Amino acid sequence: MQLDVFLKKVSINHALNMLLWHIAEAGIEIAALIKQGALAGVTEKMTSTNVQGETQMQLDIRSHEVALAQLRASAVVAAVLSEEEEKPTMLETIDAPFLVSMDPLDGSSNLAINGVVGSIFSVLPNTGVSTLGEQAFLQPGQDQRAAAYIMYGPATLLVLSIGQGTHIFTLDHHSQAFVLTQQTVTVPEETSEFAINASNQRYWQAAVQRYIGECLQGKEGPRARDFNMRWCASMVMDVHRILTRGGVFLYPHDNKQPVKAGRLRLLYEANPMSLLVTQAGGESITGQGDVLALQPTDCHQRVPVLLGSKQEIQRLRDYHQQIHPQATE
Ligand code: AHG
Ligand code: MN
Ligand code: MN
């Protein structure tokens, strides 16, 4: 079943369907650019940095432009917040029903090694951006109307939730259309695989030290089984692995740079991915609290993210409660 047919079947919101169709079109265009790699010059670094102070790749900017053009063309988006721009872009359709925040290209350090990258989108209701300005984006993740990512791997995938489960579509390169290939994904509850950037270990808090320490002890430790480890340096790819075969993905609070609570951005990484994972039966927390319940305070705010299989995230929540009972995260 093609994406447009699927959307008509599950959602009667014409404006939302239109928006999701344009997000998918952005994914198809970005996939074509990525496929050309150095031949399209898109894997080169720019001299510019984004609002996070990170060096941009050409493709970060091209992806931002492609996605913005598609969102504008949908005519149902009032404003767009992007990782690549400090301020949201207000569109001509300022009273349209939706706001979109996006990471146009996630995992872009992987471009240089021909690794997997993705695009992430979060759809919020427009609660009055014409008067509130960028404050209108500061809505908790549980208010999202939809979330999606596109994964540019060996196959190009669209993973989507409109709050009725999480579904996977695969791009058919012949028809240039996304086709439903897995309806209602379920994250296995238990797992023996974890993903964390272990080079930050000395900066982690005690709860995460304990959790990972016990995993590493394997059969001989309190978990009484061996664990496996993966790290893709692309949240899209790590989350996709968790959706398909379970596991946990952790970018925890660390004291490497105390001004940053975690590496990942709430509005265009943590929130959309948390919706997709929880709609597939997984969980997503900052420590003790749910990511989706967090009230944002800044458009580019960073948060700790611990997400994946239910039982493992529950264990992490317990460890945080026991070890850091005063902390809100
Ligand atoms: P981006 O390329 O949009 O800046 O995001 C990269 C993010 C995320 O995708 C990934 O999980 C993480 O940064 C990688 O972090 P490390 O550099 O610590 O591996
Ligand atoms: Mn990212
Ligand atoms: Mn990015």
Side-chain angles (χ1 to χ4, degrees):
M1 190 191 319
Q2 292 198 350
L3 176 67
D4 52 344
V5 178
F6 174 84
L7 289 173
K8 268 187 216 131
K9 241 178 100 171
V10 299
S11 157
I12 47 159
N13 186 328
H14 179 70
L16 185 60
N17 293 358
M18 179 69 81
L19 172 52
L20 295 170
W21 189 82
H22 279 275
I23 285 174
E25 286 299 298
I28 294 170
E29 278 185 54
I30 296 168
L33 279 173
I34 290 171
K35 234 182 8 197
Q36 283 296 97
L39 299 176
V42 292
T43 50
E44 281 161 33
K45 278 191 178 162
M46 308 284 289
T47 47
S48 53
T49 52
N50 65 13
V51 61
Q52 339 273 336
E54 298 161 346
T55 306
Q56 292 171 307
M57 309 286 287
Q58 271 201 27
L59 199 58
D60 284 317
I61 296 168
R62 290 287 294 280
S63 305
H64 166 87
E65 290 166 354
V66 165
L68 188 61
Q70 283 293 344
L71 296 172
R72 180 176 270 124
S74 77
V76 296
V77 178
V80 179
L81 170 71
S82 166
E83 180 191 352
E84 304 307 330
E85 298 275 0
E86 185 174 0
K87 296 281 172 205
T89 304
M90 304 295 166
L91 300 179
E92 302 70 28
T93 43
I94 194 81
D95 294 317
F98 300 113
L99 305 177
V100 173
S101 56
M102 64 177 182
D103 178 352
L105 200 72
D106 174 66
S108 56
S109 72
N110 278 357
L111 282 176
I113 57 164
N114 200 29
V116 170
V117 289
S119 301
I120 310 173
F121 295 89
S122 162
V123 179
L124 289 164
N126 177 9
T127 50
V129 73
S130 59
T131 47
L132 293 171
E134 64 179 89
Q135 299 278 325
F137 282 90
L138 306 182
Q139 303 180 42
Q142 62 207 12
D143 291 353
Q144 289 172 104
R145 292 286 183 270
Y149 65 78
I150 296 130
M151 176 176 173
Y152 311 104
T156 298
L157 305 181
L158 169 71
V159 180
L160 173 71
S161 180
I162 53 171
Q164 306 164 21
T166 294
H167 315 290
I168 302 178
F169 299 80
T170 303
L171 180 62
D172 176 356
H173 286 283
H174 300 294
S175 62
Q176 286 290 289
F178 280 104
V179 179
L180 182 65
T181 43
Q182 200 182 344
Q183 190 162 2
T184 320
V185 179
T186 312
V187 178
E189 281 199 14
E190 243 195 353
T191 175
S192 298
E193 204 162 57
F194 64 88
I196 192 163
N197 184 342
S199 69
N200 294 325
Q201 179 175 9
R202 66 192 185 283
Y203 302 112
W204 300 336
Q205 294 183 317
V208 171
Q209 297 279 8
R210 175 176 171 192
Y211 177 83
I212 296 294
E214 290 178 354
C215 292
L216 292 174
Q217 288 172 58
K219 273 200 206 94
E220 289 75 35
R223 303 300 305 270
R225 63 181 198 267
D226 289 339
F227 281 73
N228 189 21
M229 197 215 70
R230 288 286 182 272
W231 185 250
C232 302
S234 157
M235 189 187 195
V236 166
M237 192 175 170
D238 276 315
V239 167
H240 194 72
R241 186 187 59 256
I242 282 159
L243 284 178
T244 50
R245 70 169 191 227
V248 293
F249 166 85
L250 315 178
Y251 219 117
H253 190 288
D254 63 43
N255 56 16
K256 193 175 182 179
Q257 287 173 284
V259 286
K260 297 173 182 170
R263 190 191 193 297
L264 300 170
R265 280 61 55 104
L266 176 59
L267 292 184
Y268 41 83
E269 290 175 324
N271 272 344
M273 292 313 214
S274 298
L275 185 71
L276 290 159
V277 167
T278 54
Q279 282 291 317
E283 286 200 17
S284 179
I285 60 172
T286 56
Q288 295 183 30
D290 291 328
V291 169
L292 293 174
L294 203 65
Q295 173 60 49
T297 53
D298 183 89
C299 281
H300 296 283
Q301 176 178 355
R302 293 174 191 256
V303 284
V305 181
L306 317 172
L307 60 76
S309 294
K310 227 180 182 131
Q311 290 188 10
E312 296 299 313
I313 299 299
Q314 191 52 54
R315 177 180 289 267
L316 275 154
R317 203 193 286 265
D318 292 346
Y319 288 2
H320 278 83
Q321 243 151 32
Q322 290 164 26
I323 302 175
H324 315 287
Q326 307 307 331
T328 49
E329 278 160 0

